[in-house]
């Protein structure tokens, strides 16, 4: 399962009244329309646009829709199965947003929810029972109607899944009352977070076989798969779902996503016009993109590099040693030198920008303090500490050399082992895992941004705490689980937030797995050639409602 920039960091809504989050701060860089002679020489297919009498050109005529949306994405995955949220893959999860629908969907620009397969809000029958009516005329791309039985089947499959199951653990049973009415029986009241969580489950025909689900599944969304190759150099191609009757129809004849892991290759695809948009623009290429006339839009996000410790292995079973590591690292210097300033230091588990309504400054905030780091190691009775830091071979490997230097400054020897992390090696065992600590990254806000969901991902009773951080079994872990469950069942929003604040404090104090900073996403696109498109704060690209221009 993923724990790098390829997705969320996979194992195995936030308050309804606050569902519409504040607008996220954006810093976009758009080249001016007055190009230099060199830029004016760019071909019409490139970012600079062009003159002449073409639609959307300098004549002032109204632009017309183009035939295709083209994109280049820097993530790979072969997990096309919508069950289990595609295992947390940024690439396939983004594709799923376009091909499948949940009862409700999230607009990832601001994390608001809207009706998708559901015709309206859940109708409360009792404190723990809700009925939802399906959208009239909703059909899968094969022409068959979406039924309550399909919804029931999809929920039951996801409830049994290691990735998605913990997010919908509040659901007890699902019933198909009739063809168009679904009944949800809950284990406890869950009104504050209900809609967005129900939207996590993507609906597909119950008749699909396992082979169909894992090769070319079908949904009821605006697009359908034409072909799927999520490997490096491959292409995922989409065509419109002819039976879609929802609010976000496809806007052109096809959509093609080319998989280009190399950032320079993605940049070239954007600037030469073979892609209208790319994700994860390298900082080194940002000036090249803007000089060509395209936009680089930076959006504050939750995406984070984090350090995870083997909490069963000495000396990292001592919280003071874990804290010392964080105090020893000059995060501001990492942000300035390695991220070109496009990140924010961590002051809580939550990102203040992505979850402004639920943000709480943690009782423990790690600032650069080598003396405090040394003092903590002394208190723990640890001298001459030497350990291996496993480093994922993603963007985080650029952070590792400075981290090694910072630790050396407090007398800690940190050996770096840069590699592609094989997560099969980090699974629950009866013994203690061999690794010491790890530097990797992830972003579960591709599922939503409510505090319970985000904490459940990394700190719930799951693969992360059982066999990766190995934090399960400590009194602090048990305390966190109790508080998280109390918050889930709390109907009063203020009381719920107070419980979450206690959770944030426990996580920040114990740091079994904790972020160094929160990254901004960097999305590049040709604003003259695609209308209605903008960056989102999580990994992936979203083209729902976007129209390519000729």
């Amino acid at each position: 399962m993923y724990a790098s920039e390829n997705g969320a960091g996979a194992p195995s809504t936030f308050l309804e009244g606050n569902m519409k989050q504040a607008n996220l701060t954006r810093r976009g860089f758009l080249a001016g329309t007055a190009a230099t002679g060199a830029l004016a020489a760019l071909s019409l297919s490139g970012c600079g646009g062009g003159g002449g009498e073409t639609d959307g050109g300098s004549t002032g005529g109204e632009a017309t829709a183009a035939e295709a949306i083209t994109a280049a994405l820097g993530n790979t995955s072969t997990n096309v199965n919508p069950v289990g949220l595609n295992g947390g893959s940024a690439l396939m999860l983004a594709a799923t947003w376009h091909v499948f629908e949940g009862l409700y969907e999230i607009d990832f620009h601001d994390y608001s929810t809207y009706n998708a397969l559901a015709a309206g809000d859940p109708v409360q029958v009792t404190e723990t029972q809700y009925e939802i009516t399906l959208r009239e005329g909703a059909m899968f791309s094969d022409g068959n109607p979406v039924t309550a039985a399909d919804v029931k089947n999809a929920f039951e499959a996801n409830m049994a899944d290691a990735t998605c199951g913990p997010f919908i653990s509040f659901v007890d049973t699902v019933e198909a009352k009739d063809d168009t009415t679904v009944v949800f029986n809950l284990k406890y009241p869950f009104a504050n977070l209900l809609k967005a969580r129900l939207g996590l489950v993507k609906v597909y025909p119950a008749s699909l076989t396992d082979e169909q689900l894992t090769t070319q599944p079908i949904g009821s969304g605006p697009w359908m798969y034409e072909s799927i190759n999520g490997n490096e150099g491959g292409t995922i191609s989409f065509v419109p779902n002819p039976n879609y009757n929802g609010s976000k129809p496809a806007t052109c004849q096809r959509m093609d996503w080319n998989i280009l892991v190399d950032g320079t290759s993605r940049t070239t695809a954007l600037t030469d016009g073979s892609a209208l948009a790319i994700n994860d623009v390298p900082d080194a290429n940002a000036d090249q993109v803007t000089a060509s006339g395209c936009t680089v839009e930076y959006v504050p996000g939750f995406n984070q590099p984090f350090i995870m410790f083997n909490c069963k292995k000495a000396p990292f079973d001592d919280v003071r040693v874990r804290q010392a590591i964080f105090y020893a690292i000059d995060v501001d210097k990492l942000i300035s030198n390695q991220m070109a300033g496009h990140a924010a230091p961590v002051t809580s588990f939550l990102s203040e920008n992505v979850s402004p309504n639920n943000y709480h400054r943690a009782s423990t905030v790690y600032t650069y303090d080598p003396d405090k780091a040394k003092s903590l190691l002394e208190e723990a009775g640890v001298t001459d500490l030497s350990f291996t830091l496993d480093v994922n071979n993603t963007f985080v490997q650029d952070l590792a050399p400075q981290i090694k230097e910072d630790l050396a400054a407090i007398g800690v020897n940190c050996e770096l082992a840069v590699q592609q992390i094989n997560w099969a090696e980090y699974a629950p065992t009866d013994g203690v895992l061999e690794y010491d600590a790890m530097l990797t990254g992830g972003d579960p806000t591709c599922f939503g941004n409510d505090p319970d969901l985000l904490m459940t991902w990394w700190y719930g009773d799951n693969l992360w705490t059982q066999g990766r951080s190995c934090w399960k079994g400590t009194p602090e872990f048990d305390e966190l689980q109790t508080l998280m469950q109390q918050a889930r069942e709390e109907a009063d929003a203020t009381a719920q937030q107070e419980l979450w604040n206690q959770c944030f404090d426990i996580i920040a104090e114990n740091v079994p797995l904790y972020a160094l900073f929160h990254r901004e996403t960097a999305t590049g696109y040709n604003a003259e050639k695609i209308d209605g498109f903008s960056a989102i704060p999580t990994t992936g690209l979203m083209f729902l409602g976007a129209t390519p221009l000729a």
Side-chain angles (χ1 to χ4, degrees):
M1 293 291 189
Y2 166 86
S4 74
E5 62 191 12
N6 263 357
S12 9
T13 71
F14 35 110
L15 301 178
E16 194 75 20
N18 293 332
M19 197 66 78
K20 187 75 173 181
Q21 298 284 26
N23 289 334
L24 300 170
T25 302
R26 287 188 166 90
R27 289 187 288 152
F29 297 88
L30 179 62
T33 55
T36 64
L39 292 179
L42 287 172
S43 68
L44 289 177
S45 63
C47 289
E53 300 299 314
T54 57
D55 288 332
S58 60
T59 61
E62 185 175 346
T64 58
E67 183 176 299
I69 291 173
T70 55
L73 289 91
N75 313 106
T76 63
S77 177
T78 58
N79 189 350
V80 70
N81 194 334
V83 177
L85 302 170
N86 305 102
S89 158
L91 173 65
M92 289 306 182
L93 188 60
T96 292
W97 296 336
H98 297 79
V99 174
F100 298 89
E101 294 179 286
L103 293 169
Y104 305 96
E105 289 295 334
I106 295 174
D107 182 340
F108 285 93
H109 296 91
D110 60 5
Y111 289 96
S112 59
T113 57
Y114 61 90
N115 296 338
L117 280 175
D121 288 346
V123 176
Q124 186 172 14
V125 180
T126 69
E127 271 195 336
T128 57
Q129 187 179 79
Y130 290 83
E131 291 187 357
I132 297 176
T133 301
L134 300 183
R135 183 179 75 230
E136 185 176 357
M139 300 175 71
F140 293 113
S141 56
D142 65 357
N144 288 313
V146 180
T147 69
D150 295 313
V151 176
K152 170 182 165 67
N153 176 73
F155 266 88
E156 289 176 345
N158 279 276
M159 288 162 66
D161 179 79
T163 300
C164 191
F167 294 156
I168 53 176
S169 60
F170 59 90
V171 178
D172 188 15
T173 61
V174 183
E175 304 173 25
K177 182 177 181 179
D178 53 43
D179 283 348
T180 59
T181 308
V182 187
V183 179
F184 288 91
N185 300 300
L186 310 185
K187 297 175 183 176
Y188 44 82
F190 199 71
N192 290 343
L193 305 172
L194 185 62
K195 284 177 63 176
R197 288 297 184 86
L198 292 180
L200 287 175
V201 173
K202 307 309 174 188
V203 180
Y204 54 89
S207 61
L208 290 188
T209 65
D210 289 342
E211 181 181 358
Q212 290 170 321
L213 280 171
T214 56
T215 54
Q216 194 157 333
I218 63 174
S220 62
W223 295 92
M224 53 188 284
Y225 290 120
E226 181 182 61
S227 62
I228 308 168
N229 182 354
N231 294 308
E232 164 66 13
T235 301
I236 302 176
S237 294
F238 311 76
V239 292
N241 173 3
N243 301 301
Y244 178 74
N245 71 340
S247 61
K248 298 183 181 295
T251 59
C252 56
Q253 297 179 29
R254 64 181 301 106
M255 181 165 63
D256 296 296
W257 294 3
N258 295 318
I259 313 305
L260 301 175
V261 173
D262 179 67
T264 300
S265 297
R266 290 196 306 280
T267 301
T268 300
L270 179 62
T271 57
D272 72 10
S274 58
L276 295 179
I278 65 173
N279 73 328
D280 202 11
V281 179
D283 289 317
N285 298 119
D287 288 344
Q288 177 186 349
V289 172
T290 57
S292 73
C294 289
T295 299
V296 178
E297 187 175 4
Y298 290 93
V299 184
F302 185 77
N303 195 328
Q304 55 188 258
F306 59 81
I307 294 178
M308 177 173 67
F309 299 97
N310 184 346
C311 295
K312 285 186 178 178
K313 188 174 184 180
F316 300 116
D317 56 346
D318 190 320
V319 66
R320 293 169 295 187
V321 177
R322 303 195 297 265
Q323 290 176 339
I325 300 299
F326 276 91
Y327 280 117
I329 298 171
D330 189 343
V331 171
D332 289 337
K333 186 177 178 182
L334 285 175
I335 293 173
S336 176
N337 291 351
Q338 306 302 328
M339 304 304 298
H342 297 303
V346 169
T347 56
S348 176
F349 168 69
L350 287 187
S351 162
E352 187 171 5
N353 290 300
V354 172
S355 304
N357 295 323
N358 302 122
Y359 171 79
H360 158 77
R361 184 179 176 89
S363 57
T364 304
V365 176
Y366 296 93
T367 56
Y368 181 50
D369 193 339
D371 290 336
K372 186 164 188 174
K374 293 177 183 178
S375 176
L376 285 166
L377 291 176
E378 184 177 351
E379 289 178 23
V382 174
T383 58
D384 300 323
L385 175 59
S386 180
F387 72 96
T388 299
L389 182 67
D390 292 351
V391 180
N392 214 342
N393 64 342
T394 63
F395 79 97
V396 300
Q397 65 184 316
D398 296 331
L399 310 177
Q402 185 201 304
I403 291 174
K404 178 179 174 67
E405 291 180 5
D406 288 345
L407 293 176
I410 65 165
V412 173
N413 177 40
C414 170
E415 295 298 328
L416 304 178
V418 179
Q419 59 191 296
Q420 181 174 345
I421 298 298
N422 178 9
W423 286 106
E425 298 176 2
Y426 299 84
T429 66
D430 293 333
V432 176
L433 295 179
E434 289 302 316
Y435 91 103
D436 298 325
M438 178 188 295
L439 173 65
T440 185
D443 184 6
T445 57
C446 53
F447 309 130
N449 74 334
D450 81 68
D452 178 68
L453 182 151
L454 299 177
M455 287 189 289
T456 297
W457 186 252
W458 277 317
Y459 306 105
D461 188 355
N462 58 31
L463 190 57
W464 282 102
T465 55
Q466 295 165 11
R468 293 179 179 169
S469 69
C470 303
W471 190 44
K472 182 180 178 180
T474 64
E476 295 79 13
F477 171 85
D478 292 339
E479 182 183 5
L480 179 65
Q481 303 312 304
T482 298
L483 288 168
M484 288 173 62
Q485 186 60 35
Q486 289 175 353
R488 293 182 189 115
E489 299 182 29
E490 178 56 64
D492 180 77
T494 300
Q496 186 178 56
Q497 183 64 49
E498 290 174 353
L499 289 165
W500 282 335
N501 293 348
Q502 295 179 60
C503 294
F504 303 151
D505 289 345
I506 291 173
I507 292 169
E509 180 182 356
N510 287 276
V511 288
L513 176 161
Y514 206 60
L516 292 169
F517 51 75
H518 294 293
R519 298 178 69 194
E520 296 176 355
T521 63
T523 303
Y525 58 97
N526 185 345
E528 294 183 6
K529 291 292 183 179
I530 187 166
D531 183 55
F533 174 85
S534 60
I536 58 177
T538 190
T539 48
L541 298 173
M542 177 170 279
F543 293 101
L544 299 178
T547 303
L549 303 177

